[in-house]
RNA sequence: GUGAGUGUAGCUCAGCUGGUUAGAGCGCCUGUCUGUGGAACAGGAGGUCGAGGGUUCAAACCCCUUCACUCACCCCA
């Protein structure tokens, strides 16, 4: 009876990662963790499922439609897959007030789920790495977040990126300045945010289409479309609407933030004030950040900002908090396209492949593999019964750097032969020095 | 959720205005090479042409439905 075959398929927008991919992903993860530790952020982990009520009412109506619900038959609790790592953080901070001392610096590297339509650089299951500082109101906290982002991206070798910086309060001020209120404000932001994409004319057109009066549109446009060099933009915005109280606060915060960035040595080429940058999520209250990579444009690679009131939804009393999410998937896509992995990152973790000549030498090969492993060399011992040529081909295809050859001759001589596949160099090493010589051959 | 495009071997694709046994390159397997991979040469396996229905003497090709993927919008990492 032939077995009925089940189609091997994956849910929409979700992916498997085969070993060669995982090795690259883990490299990126390791750099990210290293830099986060360098900045004094501590790891946190939360469940993939949250109570439905924990997530609802935090992201805005549109975003909530993208939350995956998760139920089992007869389940009493309403559950949902987490949509981001920020709301779970807010819950944790409120839930463990006695255990957590402020300011709380934590990072979390975990998958999140969004039921969006998949596209390039957009998946339904993807990893985010969030770093946040809870309980710090000063702009120095926001500056650390920006410094963290630039350090990670530089460590990864990404050549061209810009952290765009704006302030939610400035956007509010723009609304005031132009005379826009209520629902129209959200539409205004949406159009302004597209400035990079559709240009000044595009924004003007959209604003008119959305029914804004001509004079209002023009006031917005003077602020948005001005051809001002990034370094002078803040001065320009201050000239235009510095008298508005909201703008005053926002500009002061931005200047403070920039001063901190200078002190911290964050290169100016990697940051830019942009009054047209808007973040979609509803909970931001102060500075906002977003990172774009010009070369392969896959959308924003980080996003974040200050959200002083979110924790208060769980805690009753609000807590000033700022942070960012790194879009690990998009960063990895960029790394892949630009091939930014160090040469040592291959398709395998194996350093030495131990070939088995025949059944009479198998036990000697097995012993050698054990010796190499004891010596700290990552070793694969061949398990099948095939010709040495086939074994070499297998090792080569897999990308193993060195093959250990141990036939009757070597056994008799008390040595082992190592062959480096990259260039075919062979050495003969006494058994006692096997691990050390193998390591030297890999490095050389 | 809205709109457009694509769907032929493991991968990338070809297949003229519908015509009989559906092709190429790469990859894979075998051999030349019974203690050695990457090259060359020779051979080989592998496809219900996404699925279902319809038109026709005849469909990979035309029509309908459906699914999947891609792109744009929306939104976002």
């Amino acid at each position: 009876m032939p077995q009925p075959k089940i189609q091997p398929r994956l849910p929409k927008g979700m992916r498997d990662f085969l070993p060669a991919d995982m090795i690259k992903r883990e490299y990126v993860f390791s750099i990210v963790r290293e830099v986060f530790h360098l900045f004094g952020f501590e790891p946190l982990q939360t469940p993939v499922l949250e109570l439905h009520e924990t997530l609802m009412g935090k992201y805005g109506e549109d975003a909530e439609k993208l939350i995956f619900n998760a139920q089992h038959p007869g389940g009493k609790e309403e559950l949902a897959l987490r949509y981001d790592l920020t709301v779970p953080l807010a819950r944790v901070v409120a839930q463990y007030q006695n255990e957590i001392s402020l300011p709380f610096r934590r990072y979390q590297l975990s998958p999140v789920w969004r039921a969006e339509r998949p596209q390039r650089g957009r998946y339904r299951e993807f990893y985010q790495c969030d770093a946040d500082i809870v309980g710090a109101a000063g702009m120095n906290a926001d500056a650390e977040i920006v410094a963290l982002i630039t350090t990670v991206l530089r460590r990864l070798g990404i050549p061209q990126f810009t952290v765009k910086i704006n302030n939610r309060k400035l956007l509010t001020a723009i609304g005031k300045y132009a005379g826009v209120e209520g629902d129209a404000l959200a539409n205004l932001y949406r159009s302004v945010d597209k400035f990079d994409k559709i240009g000044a004319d595009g924004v003007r057109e959209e604003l008119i289409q959305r029914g804004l009066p001509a004079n209002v549109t023009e006031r917005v446009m003077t602020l948005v479309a001005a051809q001002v060099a990034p370094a002078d933009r803040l001065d320009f915005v201050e000239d235009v609407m510095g008298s508005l109280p909201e703008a005053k606060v926002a500009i002061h915060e931005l200047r403070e933030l920039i001063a901190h960035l200078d002190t911290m040595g964050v290169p100016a080429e990697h940051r830019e004030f942009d009054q047209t940058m808007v973040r979609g999520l509803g909970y931001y209250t102060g500075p906002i950040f977003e990172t774009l990579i010009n070369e392969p444009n896959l959308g924003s690679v980080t996003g974040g900002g200050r959200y002083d009131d979110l924790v208060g939804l769980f805690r009753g009393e609000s807590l000033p908090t700022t942070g960012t999410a790194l879009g690990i998937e998009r960063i990895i896509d960029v790394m892949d396209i630009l091939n930014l992995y160090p040469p040592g990152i291959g398709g395998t973790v194996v350093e030495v492949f131990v070939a088995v000549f025949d059944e009479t030498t198998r036990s000697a090969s097995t012993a050698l593999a054990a010796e190499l492993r004891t010596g700290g060399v990552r070793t694969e011992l061949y398990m099948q019964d095939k010709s040495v040529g086939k074994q070499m081909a297998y090792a080569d295809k897999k990308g193993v750097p060195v093959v250990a050859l141990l036939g009757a001759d070597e056994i008799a001589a008390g040595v082992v032969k190592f062959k480096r596949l990259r260039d075919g160099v062979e050495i003969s090493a006494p058994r006692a020095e096997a691990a050390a010589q193998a390591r030297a051959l890999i490095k050389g």
Side-chain angles (χ1 to χ4, degrees):
Chain A
M1 275 288 279
Q3 293 280 326
K5 200 166 106 191
I6 299 165
Q7 274 303 314
R9 299 197 307 139
L10 229 37
K12 189 197 286 283
M14 305 201 178
R15 301 164 297 162
D16 294 315
F17 300 106
L18 298 182
D21 291 325
M22 276 309 288
I23 288 167
K24 294 201 260 177
R25 290 175 70 80
E26 286 184 344
Y27 164 72
V28 173
F29 288 175
S30 72
I31 299 281
V32 169
R33 281 205 187 90
E34 196 180 302
V35 174
F36 281 24
H37 289 171
L38 212 51
F39 277 74
F41 287 82
E42 320 264 13
L44 172 73
Q45 192 164 108
T46 63
V48 300
L49 292 175
E50 291 280 350
L51 291 171
H52 191 253
E53 62 181 47
T54 300
L55 303 187
M56 298 316 279
K58 313 297 186 300
Y59 304 109
E61 218 178 297
D62 286 345
E64 275 173 15
K65 282 188 261 178
L66 304 179
I67 293 174
F68 276 100
N69 291 323
Q71 238 53 63
H72 65 91
K76 295 251 163 49
E77 294 175 312
E78 295 279 324
L79 303 174
L81 285 167
R82 66 176 164 233
Y83 178 88
D84 68 3
L85 303 175
T86 309
V87 168
L89 168 66
R91 175 186 60 70
V92 163
V93 168
Q95 202 169 329
Y96 302 95
Q97 292 185 47
N98 294 332
E99 284 96 311
I100 291 172
S101 49
L102 301 177
F104 180 48
R105 310 166 140 257
R106 75 84 241 226
Y107 74 90
Q108 182 167 3
L109 180 40
S110 303
V112 302
W113 291 266
R114 298 182 186 177
E116 292 190 277
R117 198 135 164 178
Q119 250 176 67
R120 169 138 89 132
R122 176 184 291 184
Y123 310 97
R124 287 187 156 191
E125 177 182 58
F126 61 97
Y127 274 72
Q128 282 194 164
C129 189
D130 278 35
D132 296 83
I133 305 175
V134 183
M139 286 302 112
N140 52 353
D142 300 85
E144 284 228 330
I145 297 298
V146 174
L148 179 72
I149 293 167
T150 57
T151 307
V152 169
L153 296 179
R154 290 173 73 195
R155 278 286 175 92
L156 286 170
I158 292 175
Q160 276 189 25
F161 64 89
T162 311
V163 182
K164 296 206 165 204
I165 300 170
N166 197 5
N167 193 309
R168 201 53 166 246
K169 289 166 188 154
L170 189 68
L171 291 166
T172 308
I174 290 176
K176 279 260 168 64
Y177 173 77
V180 180
E181 285 182 333
D183 290 348
L185 206 52
N187 284 332
L188 172 74
Y189 295 157
R190 263 190 264 278
S191 298
V192 167
D193 193 28
K194 288 193 210 161
F195 179 75
D196 274 352
K197 208 172 205 172
I198 63 179
D201 294 338
V203 174
R204 181 181 283 113
E205 205 172 303
E206 269 206 34
L207 291 175
I208 292 165
Q209 262 184 3
R210 290 188 195 275
L212 292 190
N215 62 325
V216 170
T217 301
E218 285 320 307
R219 280 171 86 84
V220 173
M221 293 312 294
T222 56
L223 270 168
V224 164
Q227 305 284 329
V228 182
D232 303 324
R233 276 184 203 154
L234 207 43
D235 291 336
F236 165 75
V237 169
E238 185 162 29
D239 285 346
V240 176
M241 54 177 201
S243 57
L244 286 170
E246 288 88 350
K248 219 170 240 165
V249 177
I251 290 164
H252 178 70
E253 285 185 358
L254 284 163
R255 288 203 192 287
E256 231 183 301
L257 173 54
I258 289 164
H260 280 118
L261 292 176
D262 288 338
T263 307
M264 297 175 88
V266 175
E269 61 184 289
H270 289 314
R271 53 188 162 92
E272 172 181 313
F273 163 65
D274 182 352
Q275 73 275 26
T276 69
M277 191 270 286
V278 181
R279 302 246 69 232
L281 292 177
Y283 47 61
Y284 294 112
T285 56
I288 47 181
F289 326 113
E290 182 168 291
T291 305
L292 298 178
I293 292 172
N294 314 338
E295 289 265 314
N297 187 1
L298 301 176
S300 54
V301 109
T302 82
R306 177 165 283 279
Y307 48 99
D308 284 346
D309 300 329
L310 181 63
V311 176
L313 294 178
F314 295 96
R315 188 174 174 262
E317 192 183 338
S318 67
L319 253 186
T321 300
T322 186
T324 189
L326 302 195
I328 299 289
E329 309 297 348
R330 288 183 180 176
I331 291 172
I332 288 170
D333 285 348
V334 170
M335 301 278 299
D336 284 342
I337 291 168
L338 268 43
N339 196 15
L340 298 177
Y341 300 97
I345 305 282
T348 179
V349 300
V350 177
E351 295 171 311
V352 172
F353 174 89
V354 177
V356 176
F357 279 68
D358 54 56
E359 287 313 309
T360 67
T361 65
R362 177 172 291 279
S363 71
S365 289
T366 304
L368 172 64
E371 289 163 26
L372 290 170
R373 287 166 180 162
T374 302
V377 176
R378 297 167 169 181
T379 304
E380 175 176 350
L381 173 66
Y382 197 61
M383 298 275 108
Q384 309 292 98
D385 180 20
K386 289 200 177 161
S387 74
V388 171
K390 289 281 187 300
Q391 296 183 46
M392 301 279 295
Y394 166 84
D396 187 41
K397 187 188 164 199
K398 205 166 151 175
V400 180
V402 166
V403 173
L405 298 160
L406 189 61
D409 298 349
E410 286 79 11
I411 294 170
V415 299
V416 53
K417 201 186 272 178
F418 289 114
K419 176 163 183 169
R420 184 163 65 197
L421 296 187
R422 170 159 49 87
D423 52 11
V425 166
E426 283 188 16
I427 60 164
S428 202
R431 282 292 288 272
E433 298 170 22
Q437 297 255 17
R439 237 194 309 277
L441 189 61
I442 293 163
K443 282 197 185 130

